[in-house]
Amino acid sequence: MTTMNDMLCYSCSKPKANLSIKKSTLITGVNLLMCQSCIDSKFEPRWTIILSGRKNGPEHVRDFIIRHRYIGKEITANELIV
């Protein structure tokens, strides 16, 4: 059961009692609240990969997509093209 003290990890969206602030490796100046499991796995939230890919091009996020360094459904080319 989720309590009011639990917050959601930006990457896995699971309620966690302990989250850490991690700087995004893809978007400068963005701080992310993430659980230790996602940080250890070197994940980025799916939405940061999509936004970065739209802004900087697919090559900028290629490694994250190929290695599936995010949680969620596959990121498609349609999501990276604006």
Side-chain angles (χ1 to χ4, degrees):
M1 179 175 178
T2 303
T3 66
M4 295 215 20
N5 293 331
D6 289 344
M7 296 181 64
L8 298 180
C9 171
Y10 285 10
S11 184
C12 67
S13 298
K14 293 181 182 174
K16 303 284 183 163
N18 295 316
L19 295 175
S20 299
I21 295 174
K22 177 190 175 287
K23 291 190 182 289
S24 172
T25 57
L26 295 173
I27 303 175
T28 305
V30 172
N31 292 323
L32 307 165
L33 289 173
M34 294 178 61
C35 66
Q36 195 59 50
S37 176
C38 289
I39 291 171
D40 291 344
S41 297
K42 299 182 180 178
F43 285 165
E44 278 276 327
R46 189 176 183 279
W47 60 268
T48 61
I49 297 168
I50 293 169
L51 289 178
S52 182
R54 287 179 179 177
K55 181 180 178 188
N56 302 307
E59 283 299 314
H60 187 72
V61 295
R62 184 176 191 269
D63 183 58
F64 284 87
I65 294 171
I66 289 173
R67 295 176 191 246
H68 205 88
R69 288 180 46 198
Y70 60 93
I71 294 175
K73 65 179 185 167
E74 182 179 347
I75 296 173
T76 64
N78 288 340
E79 292 176 287
L80 298 179
I81 300 170
V82 180

